[in-house]
Amino acid sequence: MTYNQTFVALLREATFTKNMLGAGATQIRVANYANHGAYAQAFAGLSVGLERIGKLCLMLDHYIEHDGQFPDFKYLKNSVGHKLKLLYERAKKIALQRDIDFQFLESLDHPIHDAILKILHAYAEGDRYSNINNLIGSKQKGDPIADWFTKVDSYIFKNLITQRRKEKIAGGALAAQKLMPFAAVLHTAETGEVISSVEEASFRTGMYSAVAPHRQFFVLQIIRYWVELLWGIGMKAQALGRQEIPFFGEIFAAFYNHDRYLRSRRMWEI
């Protein structure tokens, strides 16, 4: 059996995209105030992975519409670029026009989905250079880590964590301070301020432990949405009969699962 050039290119692109998304989904689980680098790894993997899976969907839609012809370079660069929010708007239109049957979420309409997409959109558009932008006086002042803490983690902690869990975290932080009154702590919070007390560090650690599974779950739901769309549009592209479209469902199979499975798994670097 031989594969043509189109099949190989699509297969490699899909595999690369799967790996980027898996790495991003894994790192977003472990990122916290004491591990800022994991945020960078997560945002890079997720923004690149979502952009590429979104563009695969656009390309296959064009392929179907134009009898097996892919769009040119200018189409993807000039009309879409790195704009993840625009890709999502295009994705919804494709799903509607192609009558894609979703097994899970038909849209990403939860406030956390929206916040995550906006942060990753801004990251891809230039916030990935936030530290450099700050040093050189750039007009682009976005801080993706601070935005994540205030718009994602804080929302989760306020709305999805039980009052009992919150009180336990606060009580543990106070006890830690009393047990270690002379301990030295020095960290930088996600929002930039200095963490210099055992109580604050303990509280932030407890908060991270509470929200981390939820944040990863919402990220995985976003990935799964695009996986479902790609799977559906891929099958319609295969129907043209050219035998050059891979089975994307097999490549991204791990992400195509029920919520309970998404919640049960920590590592996604597959």
Side-chain angles (χ1 to χ4, degrees):
M1 182 177 181
T2 60
Y3 299 145
N4 66 23
Q5 186 175 4
T6 298
F7 183 96
V8 171
L10 288 171
L11 181 65
R12 288 178 174 176
E13 180 65 15
T15 302
F16 173 79
T17 298
K18 176 202 69 174
N19 290 340
M20 293 296 292
L21 291 170
T26 297
Q27 291 303 312
I28 203 61
R29 178 74 175 244
V30 300
N32 59 44
Y33 72 91
N35 189 11
H36 285 202
Y39 280 111
Q41 291 176 301
F43 295 158
L46 293 172
S47 62
V48 171
L50 291 177
E51 177 185 334
R52 297 182 93 112
I53 197 171
K55 286 181 175 177
L56 276 171
C57 292
L58 288 185
M59 291 170 62
L60 289 171
D61 181 65
H62 189 283
Y63 178 92
I64 295 168
E65 191 69 23
H66 295 83
D67 194 29
Q69 296 297 315
F70 288 107
D72 60 19
F73 175 77
K74 291 182 179 179
Y75 171 79
L76 290 180
K77 181 178 180 180
N78 298 334
S79 67
V80 180
H82 304 299
K83 298 176 176 63
L84 295 183
K85 288 291 289 181
L86 177 57
L87 276 172
Y88 175 53
E89 293 304 317
R90 297 282 181 88
K92 289 191 292 185
K93 290 181 180 179
I94 291 173
L96 182 62
Q97 292 171 355
R98 300 295 176 191
D99 194 26
I100 302 300
D101 184 21
F102 287 88
Q103 176 70 24
F104 302 107
L105 298 180
E106 295 184 357
S107 64
L108 301 172
D109 55 3
H110 193 285
I112 300 181
H113 294 149
D114 185 60
I116 291 172
L117 286 175
K118 285 179 178 177
I119 291 167
L120 295 177
H121 173 101
Y123 184 86
E125 285 285 279
D127 280 1
R128 61 188 181 278
Y129 300 116
S130 59
N131 297 316
I132 295 174
N133 290 340
N134 185 49
L135 291 170
I136 65 177
S138 171
K139 292 181 179 179
Q140 186 156 351
K141 297 293 185 180
D143 184 338
I145 297 178
D147 286 343
W148 186 276
F149 181 81
T150 58
K151 297 175 182 178
V152 178
D153 283 357
S154 294
Y155 181 99
I156 292 172
F157 192 71
K158 178 182 179 181
N159 295 283
L160 301 181
I161 306 305
T162 66
Q163 185 61 33
R164 183 178 180 181
R165 181 79 180 272
K166 292 175 185 175
E167 291 172 356
K168 183 177 180 180
I169 292 170
L174 183 60
Q177 181 65 42
K178 291 179 178 179
L179 289 171
M180 296 181 287
F182 303 110
V185 173
L186 186 60
H187 281 290
T188 304
E190 289 93 337
T191 46
E193 67 270 20
V194 174
I195 297 175
S196 57
S197 74
V198 172
E199 182 178 359
E200 177 64 15
S202 177
F203 182 87
R204 292 271 185 158
T205 300
M207 180 181 178
Y208 152 72
S209 297
V211 304
H214 295 279
R215 66 152 80 133
Q216 185 184 52
F217 171 67
F218 282 105
V219 163
L220 290 168
Q221 284 189 323
I222 292 172
I223 295 172
R224 185 180 62 189
Y225 171 85
W226 256 292
V227 167
E228 282 209 78
L229 178 60
L230 179 62
W231 193 341
I233 199 73
M235 288 191 293
K236 292 181 183 295
Q238 288 174 337
L240 295 182
R242 295 176 179 269
Q243 297 185 341
E244 57 187 7
I245 307 299
F247 288 92
F248 294 108
E250 294 181 358
I251 300 170
F252 293 94
F255 295 112
Y256 186 78
N257 274 291
H258 289 277
D259 287 354
R260 61 181 178 273
Y261 179 80
L262 300 187
R263 291 184 183 277
S264 71
R265 183 170 175 174
R266 292 169 175 261
M267 305 296 291
W268 292 86
E269 292 174 301
I270 46 183

